[in-house]
Amino acid sequence: MDKRKSVWNVVPAGGVIGMVALVGIAMVPVLRPFLIYAALLVVAYTMYKYLVIIGEAEGRIKALKLPEKQIKVQPQGPSFQEVLRAIPDPVMIVAGIEPDDIAGRWIVFANTAAQGLFRMDGEGGLLVSTIRNPEVLECVDEALFGGISTSTFYDLAGGARDQIWRAYASPLPVTGPQRLALLTLRDETDARRMERMRADFLANASHELRTPLASLAGFIETLRGPAKDDEKAREKFLDIMATQAERMRRLIQDLLSLSRIELNEHVPPSGEADLTLAARDVVDSVSLMARDKGVSLIIRAPKPGLYPILGDRDQILQVVQNLVDNALKYAVRGSEVTVDIRYDLSLEQAVAGSNSGAARLVLLRPDRNVHDFYAQVTVRDAGPGIRREFLPRLAERFYRVEGQKSGDKLGTGLGLAIVKHIINRHRGGLVVESQSSVTSDAADVLERTPNEKVATLPAATPVTFTAFSACFPQARAYGLGADTPRLVISDGVSRDLKDAV
Amino acid sequence: MGAHIVKTYQEELDQLSAEVVLMGGLAEAQVADAVEAVARRDVGLAQSVVQRDHKLDELEKDVERKCIRLIALRQPMADDLRKTVAAMKLATSLERTGDLAKNIAKRAMVIAEAEPMTPLTRSIERMGKLVSSRLRDVLDAYKAGKLDLAQNVWASDTEVDEHYNSLFRELLTYMMGDPRTISACTHLLFMAKNLERIGDHATNMAEHIHYELTGEDYVEDRPKGNTLNSIE
Ligand SMILES: Nc1ncnc2c1ncn2[C@@H]1O[C@H](COP(=O)(O)OP(=O)(O)OP(=O)(O)O)[C@@H](O)[C@H]1O
Ligand SMILES: [Mg+2]
């Protein structure tokens, strides 16, 4: 077997020899002075053996780190290590000695891609400190001690951005007690995502299109039959049919854009965008609608161009657009919808909300420790608010709050889902804060005392509102003393609106 | 095998935290698989969760034994002692987490036989994702020895409660609407409760990590939402 010895094998051996020698010496009186020397000798020998063993153990551990052998591909070419480093897929070499020592697997080499993927500090370290997924660890063990090549799916959830990798482990030939295995990873996120998305899209689209389609078919039937010659009914029905067709068109458009966004969700956006510009564009485009509803739209934002965020301009615009659309939809006549932009916020500040005691929920939390500064846009309306218990399901596809009057047009329930996916792609965050008039406690009280006519002042109904805050990583910090978030009020109301209001 | 390799003191400590991280990986996978078994009505997956639970139990015992051995033989001081104690506490929390995941998986097998209740199971899934991410963050904090990561987990404790409360109300509406769903809904309710408790374990672990790194207990009160205490 192996030649490894332990202290516990050596110490008794030294002890026995020492004892025999000592007894022998003690028998002969003349030799007694040597007794002390002999004892010292035994002690020294045992110490020496002990140190050798400790040294060997350390040596073995050191040996686990692969020496950088300069085996060249060509005489003047790169070494094999350098070749491995250049491979775009993550590649690691793992070493282990004992199968029982469950934590004893070391990474002895990791190429640049692997170090980047796992945010490693160097090329080595304990394997579990880098990968703790039990299935991958099992594959590695199979390769190390079973000599078999296997592979497994490996879900790598970094923040909210799920990636699906496939991990391959195969044994490497070595001599000696130490075993080596090669662990390579391949990104299969795209393939799997496509698959899942196609299924989702079909399911969603067919389900949601069924209702308007059924109604269209019904009207066509009526127009062909009973209402064939009824001029007035025909006009009315065609109107309804046009509305339904329009709804279907919007639905398909939303579904397609959602699919497109989802497809690119794990590809970080390139380019820079500006929240102030986006907010102005949106406010300008909806100003007519706001005037019709008698709602005043107010932007409070710094001058544009000061603090770019990392992002895709069209998508940022769509986020603001969807939030403002919702706010306008639920705002009551004569109220205000405000769009506030703040910047140089820390992550905690960005998801903190206004601390007003209203219900608040983080719908999407930004990745921690990735970015230092966030810019935030908050869209707030003084509408009826959303009850606390409905908050967690917002941003789920096709989710609409029950029993809510959504004004003139029925939404598709995809607006916030799109917002969330875009923000997710930008590694930002989304927080909702809302105060609704029917808090559940108040509702309980109302039910319990239905006909008590006590002449008390009615409890002040809380001011209801809904505020959605989206935050995005900034391309750079704007201020120097960046610890205090600032609210910069610029031109207040956008120009067209001053005329409109 | 038999022969012992002589380990240095530092190696023993490192091995201890490596084993705790290993347990963490297992517990994470157990929770994720249990929730997936609920969402996909996958009885086979649920069964394998139940079967794998013993691994966590064994690992916990092993960690505990190693900690006691270390304390007895090496008499660690200050930082090292805290490290050892934290490892032991984390192992306990992770083992409990595994038990809760097992319980979810068992219930998943039962409700897989009832009619699908997609909106509800999707809420469970959403809550499961949130809890898993807390678990992941706290283990990352432990592995990297980063205080701020642990504090983030600790501070975001109320989110799970919000989800739990919302799900609770959703379930009540469902049960009142269709009494035939009551038994399945009760299982879902307990699943939600289990997930909430896993979230609490994540918070506990964040506290232990805080203690390990600073030597101080968390003095602030826990951020608690208005939990419904009616169904303990
Ligand atoms: N500002 C708000 N005030 C009150 N309820 C809101 C507000 N914003 C969103 N909601 C609720 O959230 C639900 C989902 O919003 P979302 O924008 O995703 O869909 P939608 O507005 O119904 O449809 P669309 O896809 O056309 O935007 C809405 O149906 C509504 O119930
Ligand atoms: Mg909308």
Side-chain angles (χ1 to χ4, degrees):
Chain A
M1 246 192 71
D2 53 44
K3 293 191 286 293
R4 270 175 286 140
K5 284 181 219 142
S6 90
V7 185
W8 312 116
N9 292 342
V10 176
V11 172
V16 169
I17 296 168
M19 287 302 276
V20 171
L22 284 176
V23 170
I25 291 167
M27 293 297 205
V28 189
V30 195
L31 293 180
R32 281 217 179 114
F34 291 103
L35 194 61
I36 194 121
Y37 296 109
L40 279 176
L41 209 71
V42 170
V43 170
Y45 176 76
T46 317
M47 284 279 281
Y48 165 73
K49 272 311 241 188
Y50 180 77
L51 287 176
V52 164
I53 284 169
I54 294 276
E56 272 178 11
E58 269 168 11
R60 258 202 309 277
I61 288 154
K62 286 217 188 76
L64 287 170
K65 306 252 179 293
L66 276 193
E68 182 104 349
K69 277 197 206 119
Q70 291 298 311
I71 303 167
K72 301 281 191 178
V73 180
Q74 282 176 354
Q76 258 75 47
S79 69
F80 275 107
Q81 254 110 344
E82 282 159 337
V83 173
L84 280 184
R85 272 190 205 117
I87 291 178
D89 284 339
V91 177
M92 296 187 214
I93 297 175
V94 181
I97 297 178
E98 284 180 90
D100 311 4
D101 181 7
I102 43 172
R105 317 271 183 271
W106 292 267
I107 296 173
V108 288
F109 171 83
N111 73 351
T112 321
Q115 290 181 37
L117 181 65
F118 296 108
R119 303 198 188 125
M120 293 168 68
D121 311 326
E123 281 192 354
L126 272 180
L127 178 63
V128 281
S129 322
T130 303
I131 299 179
R132 56 170 182 263
N133 178 302
E135 274 158 27
V136 178
L137 294 179
E138 216 159 89
C139 276
V140 170
D141 274 10
E142 296 254 348
L144 283 176
F145 305 108
I148 316 167
S149 300
T150 46
S151 77
T152 181
F153 276 118
Y154 178 24
D155 285 7
L156 198 69
R161 281 141 287 264
D162 294 342
Q163 294 179 0
I164 302 150
W165 292 76
R166 196 170 186 93
Y168 298 84
S170 26
L172 292 174
V174 274
T175 46
Q178 179 196 324
R179 315 286 188 95
L180 289 181
L182 186 74
L183 179 64
T184 48
L185 293 157
R186 188 175 303 156
D187 191 350
E188 296 202 345
T189 316
D190 278 347
R192 289 270 296 251
R193 194 177 285 265
M194 279 290 259
E195 224 171 86
R196 202 177 297 166
M197 209 121 57
R198 204 169 296 144
D200 274 5
F201 181 83
L202 280 179
N204 286 337
S206 47
H207 181 260
E208 287 293 315
L209 287 172
R210 207 154 45 201
T211 323
L213 199 60
S215 120
L216 272 186
F219 282 116
I220 290 173
E221 199 77 343
T222 326
L223 282 177
R224 277 201 180 133
K228 202 169 186 172
D229 305 310
D230 185 342
E231 191 76 23
K232 255 170 64 195
R234 189 160 59 216
E235 280 309 306
K236 202 173 118 207
F237 287 173
L238 283 175
D239 270 359
I240 300 176
M241 287 167 74
T243 320
Q244 293 293 354
E246 168 63 14
R247 177 165 152 70
M248 286 168 78
R249 196 189 57 75
R250 249 192 311 128
L251 195 71
I252 291 174
Q253 201 177 325
D254 278 359
L255 274 171
L256 283 174
S257 87
L258 186 59
S259 294
R260 233 184 350 257
I261 292 161
E262 276 192 314
L263 200 58
N264 281 328
E265 199 165 335
H266 68 292
V267 183
S270 56
E272 294 188 348
D274 190 286
L275 274 184
T276 304
L277 285 182
R280 279 196 187 163
D281 283 355
V282 170
V283 166
D284 287 348
S285 73
V286 297
S287 57
L288 268 183
M289 210 172 92
R291 181 160 36 177
D292 285 350
K293 278 206 74 170
V295 172
S296 46
L297 263 167
I298 295 171
I299 307 189
R300 284 185 292 234
K303 294 210 159 47
L306 288 179
Y307 56 98
I309 56 176
L310 297 164
D312 176 317
R313 281 186 47 201
D314 292 338
Q315 292 196 341
I316 300 291
L317 196 76
Q318 197 171 3
V319 167
V320 183
Q321 179 85 50
N322 288 3
L323 293 181
V324 170
D325 277 352
N326 281 351
L328 278 181
K329 205 189 278 183
Y330 297 99
V332 286
R333 184 163 278 279
S335 66
E336 275 178 1
V337 167
T338 56
V339 181
D340 284 302
I341 291 170
R342 306 199 302 161
Y343 58 101
D344 280 357
L345 303 182
S346 73
L347 188 147
E348 285 313 309
Q349 288 168 330
V351 295
S354 69
N355 216 352
S356 59
R360 181 179 72 90
L361 191 72
V362 182
L363 293 172
L364 182 64
R365 186 171 280 279
D367 258 4
R368 60 212 140 69
N369 294 347
V370 180
H371 298 280
D372 292 336
F373 297 105
Y374 291 84
Q376 182 196 50
V377 53
T378 303
V379 180
R380 184 181 165 120
D381 66 75
I386 307 170
R387 278 163 61 181
R388 167 178 244 125
E389 58 262 40
F390 297 133
L391 295 184
R393 292 195 61 186
L394 291 176
E396 186 179 301
R397 283 162 194 226
F398 300 116
Y399 180 72
R400 296 156 207 139
V401 172
E402 289 162 36
Q404 201 178 46
K405 286 187 283 287
S406 61
D408 25 346
K409 67 170 181 187
L410 182 63
T412 56
L414 285 172
L416 287 176
I418 291 176
V419 165
K420 184 171 167 187
H421 282 290
I422 292 179
I423 297 177
N424 194 19
R425 176 177 179 222
H426 285 78
R427 316 216 142 203
L430 180 64
V431 182
V432 56
E433 207 173 348
S434 189
Q435 176 71 57
S436 83
S437 55
V438 240
T439 63
S440 341
D441 302 345
D444 290 348
V445 173
L446 284 181
E447 272 162 38
R448 241 179 279 131
T449 57
N451 39 21
E452 246 179 76
K453 292 203 182 76
V454 192
T456 45
L457 283 173
T461 38
V463 184
T464 63
F465 72 91
T466 307
F468 282 92
S469 304
C471 63
F472 300 92
Q474 274 171 227
R476 56 183 170 269
Y478 171 63
L480 290 173
D483 46 355
T484 43
R486 272 155 303 165
L487 174 69
V488 180
I489 299 175
S490 74
D491 35 348
V493 183
S494 131
R495 275 140 291 120
D496 309 14
L497 272 159
K498 273 200 193 113
D499 315 336
V501 178
Chain B
M1 269 344 278
H4 289 261
I5 300 183
V6 179
K7 283 218 162 69
T8 63
Y9 176 39
Q10 190 55 45
E11 277 176 323
E12 272 185 48
L13 273 173
D14 287 350
Q15 157 132 37
L16 204 57
S17 27
E19 250 176 69
V20 172
V21 174
L22 196 75
M23 277 189 79
L26 263 174
E28 266 179 306
Q30 290 288 80
V31 175
D33 284 351
V35 171
E36 190 166 336
V38 178
R40 292 206 325 231
R41 303 161 66 76
D42 189 336
V43 178
L45 188 61
Q47 266 160 354
S48 57
V49 171
V50 174
Q51 279 158 11
R52 277 193 306 243
D53 184 56
H54 71 96
K55 280 198 199 164
L56 274 171
D57 297 348
E58 281 158 22
L59 272 170
E60 190 218 8
K61 288 207 194 82
D62 193 50
V63 169
E64 195 177 86
R65 214 173 27 240
K66 287 200 167 111
C67 285
I68 290 172
R69 222 183 86 99
L70 200 93
I71 292 172
L73 296 182
R74 308 281 201 173
Q75 283 156 14
M77 303 285 278
D79 289 7
D80 293 343
L81 180 60
R82 289 207 304 274
K83 210 172 184 172
T84 318
V85 172
M88 203 147 78
K89 289 193 162 166
L90 253 60
T92 311
S93 283
L94 287 169
E95 191 270 330
R96 295 273 153 74
T97 302
D99 286 346
L100 294 166
K102 181 169 84 174
N103 191 287
I104 294 175
K106 278 185 181 163
R107 292 180 191 277
M109 291 186 226
V110 180
I111 62 158
E113 278 157 20
E115 281 290 297
M117 296 185 284
T118 321
L120 293 179
T121 45
R122 215 185 284 156
S123 294
I124 293 276
E125 206 183 346
R126 193 163 340 100
M127 195 169 161
K129 280 237 169 79
L130 180 68
V131 168
S132 295
S133 80
R134 290 171 60 72
L135 210 52
R136 185 185 61 232
D137 288 353
V138 84
L139 289 167
D140 283 350
Y142 177 67
K143 193 183 75 184
K146 290 224 171 109
L147 195 60
D148 52 337
L149 292 194
Q151 272 161 341
N152 280 354
V153 174
W154 188 84
S156 56
D157 189 45
T158 51
E159 268 169 57
V160 179
D161 295 342
E162 286 288 355
H163 279 256
Y164 176 72
N165 291 345
S166 155
L167 188 70
F168 178 73
R169 295 210 166 88
E170 214 176 327
L171 280 165
L172 283 188
T173 340
Y174 225 85
M175 289 197 260
M176 288 191 290
D178 183 359
R180 279 169 308 169
T181 62
I182 286 181
S183 104
C185 280
T186 317
H187 284 297
L188 289 172
L189 194 58
F190 277 109
M191 285 180 188
K193 190 76 200 156
N194 286 343
L195 285 174
E196 198 219 271
R197 284 175 47 201
I198 295 175
D200 283 346
H201 279 301
T203 315
N204 283 344
M205 287 192 269
E207 280 170 12
H208 297 322
I209 294 169
H210 183 273
Y211 166 77
E212 175 194 337
L213 297 175
T214 64
E216 286 158 21
D217 282 331
Y218 237 113
V219 279
E220 298 164 60
D221 280 341
R222 271 198 192 190
K224 267 283 166 200
N226 54 340
T227 5
L228 297 165
N229 296 317
S230 44
I231 43 137
E232 278 302 305

